[in-house]
């Protein structure tokens, strides 16, 4: 390698291409694969290999979600899950983020709130929902007697996000990113084992329910992971459009009533 294209320069060039979305290497000259003759396998007379056609196909490389599932499946507690997410390198969002934003609140809470992804404040502090939307979220749940500092399961909240890393310019997480991180979220839900899940906004509904459409979904009880689910507007949407607040208040009252059943 020439001195003007050393290891660091090559690494930076590669990272830049990954940022641009390059996900495979191809040659400069196209190859017509129909014209390429497969090399003859030289098997000795004593070979006991099965014919290729009968061999089970083994994926050359596990998918990112597959790797996440294997890693998440090994986590038996929250700190192991946090550590596993911190070393998971398949998601490009990690490269642009300052911090992993894992969760906040009381792990014994009956209610688990799931947001979308960290914003600038959350990325800076490593804590979910600490910016303007988070302050509204705190006020909303305080109005029905629940806070992230609550000491009992009844008066506590547990808060996390679909994505633990801030997307650039606060863009919406992509479906592929949501699906990639879903095994970690599922494990997170299993470890918390909440009585109710509250996905806030479309990204959280996509992750928890497999569909978007918060305007239709909110206010209607459904279930996922064998747990009752009440989809709600994201607090950022309430900050943008105050007319949605009446619906959000109705949803909070519905959550309160359900917890008393
Ligand atoms: N919005 C979210 O969805 N999550 C946060 O943590 C902050 C803002």
């Amino acid at each position: 390698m020439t001195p003007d294209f050393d290891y660091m320069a090559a690494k930076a060039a590669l990272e830049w291409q990954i940022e641009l979305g390059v996900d495979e290497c191809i040659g400069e000259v196209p190859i017509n694969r129909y014209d390429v003759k497969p090399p003859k396998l030289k098997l000795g007379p004593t070979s006991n290999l099965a014919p290729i056609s009968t061999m089970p196909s083994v994926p050359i490389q596990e998918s990112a979600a597959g790797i996440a599932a294997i890693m998440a499946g090994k986590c038996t507690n929250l700190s192991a899950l946090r550590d596993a997410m911190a070393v998971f390198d398949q998601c490009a969002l990690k490269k642009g983020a300052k911090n992993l934003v894992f969760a906040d609140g009381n792990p014994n809470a009956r209610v688990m709130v799931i947001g979308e992804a960290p914003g600038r404040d959350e990325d800076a502090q490593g804590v979910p929902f600490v910016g303007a939307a988070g302050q509204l979220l705190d006020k909303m749940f305080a109005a029905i007697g629940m806070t992230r500092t609550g000491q009992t399961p009844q008066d506590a909240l547990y808060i996390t996000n679909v994505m633990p890393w801030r997307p650039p310019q606060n863009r919406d997480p992509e479906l592929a990113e949501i699906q990639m991180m879903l095994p970690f979220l599922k494990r997170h839900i299993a470890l918390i084992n909440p009585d109710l899940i509250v996905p806030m906004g479309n990204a959280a509904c996509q992750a928890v329910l497999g569909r978007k459409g918060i305007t239709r979904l909110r206010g209607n009880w459904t279930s996922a992971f064998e747990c009752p689910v009440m989809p709600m507007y994201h607090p950022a949407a309430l900050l943008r459009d105050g007319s949605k607040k009446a619906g959000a208040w109705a949803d909070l009252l519905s959550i309160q009533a359900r917890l008393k059943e």
Side-chain angles (χ1 to χ4, degrees):
M1 193 168 282
T2 55
D4 59 340
F5 204 67
D6 61 8
Y7 170 80
M8 293 313 290
K11 186 164 177 283
L14 186 60
E15 284 170 354
W16 179 70
Q17 292 190 40
I18 291 169
E19 284 285 316
L20 290 178
V22 174
D23 58 4
E24 64 180 313
C25 299
I26 56 173
E28 287 177 15
V29 182
I31 298 172
N32 185 346
R33 297 280 167 199
Y34 292 106
D35 290 344
V36 178
K37 301 237 172 356
K40 285 205 176 109
L41 285 177
K42 288 183 190 156
L43 298 179
T46 56
S47 166
N48 56 2
L49 281 180
I52 299 260
S53 58
T54 65
M55 285 183 183
S57 69
V58 179
I60 292 168
Q61 193 192 1
E62 288 282 353
S63 70
I67 294 169
I70 292 166
M71 292 172 73
K74 293 182 181 158
C75 300
T76 53
N77 57 53
L78 291 173
S79 95
L81 183 66
R82 184 190 196 119
D83 291 348
M85 290 167 73
V87 296
F88 180 71
D89 275 334
Q90 305 290 316
C91 181
L93 296 185
K94 180 179 180 184
K95 296 190 186 80
K98 288 197 180 79
N99 278 302
L100 172 92
V101 177
F102 182 67
D104 194 24
N106 183 339
N108 298 317
R110 295 183 66 193
V111 175
M112 181 170 187
V113 170
I114 301 174
E116 180 179 303
R120 194 186 49 189
D121 297 322
E122 291 78 16
D123 182 41
Q125 296 183 39
V127 181
F129 280 107
V130 290
Q135 285 160 27
L136 178 58
L137 182 146
D138 284 343
K139 282 187 198 151
M140 288 163 63
F141 279 92
I144 57 165
M146 282 185 253
T147 65
R148 48 179 116 188
T149 53
Q151 294 299 299
T152 68
Q154 287 73 12
D155 69 5
L157 266 189
Y158 188 79
I159 302 173
T160 189
N161 281 311
V162 173
M163 303 303 301
W165 297 290
R166 181 191 183 197
Q169 280 85 46
N170 294 346
R171 67 156 169 78
D172 293 343
E174 292 167 5
L175 183 59
E177 292 165 343
I178 293 174
Q179 288 171 342
M180 184 191 298
M181 298 307 291
L182 192 53
F184 291 115
L185 183 66
K186 284 187 184 169
R187 195 77 192 136
H188 209 154
I189 293 169
L191 290 169
I192 294 297
N193 191 21
D195 288 346
L196 300 181
I197 299 173
V198 181
M200 298 190 110
N202 273 323
C205 287
Q206 178 66 55
V208 173
L209 303 174
R211 63 206 146 112
K212 298 203 278 195
I214 189 62
T215 307
R216 281 168 186 268
L217 290 170
R218 67 137 286 273
N220 297 299
W221 284 103
T222 180
S223 68
F225 315 120
E226 295 172 25
C227 184
V229 174
M230 170 53 79
M232 286 185 68
Y233 284 128
H234 193 284
L238 302 178
L239 289 174
R240 285 193 297 269
D241 178 0
S243 72
K244 292 187 162 84
K245 284 187 180 170
W249 178 237
D251 300 345
L252 288 169
L253 293 178
S254 186
I255 290 168
Q256 188 180 41
R258 182 89 181 220
L259 290 169
K260 286 184 182 150
E261 277 172 13

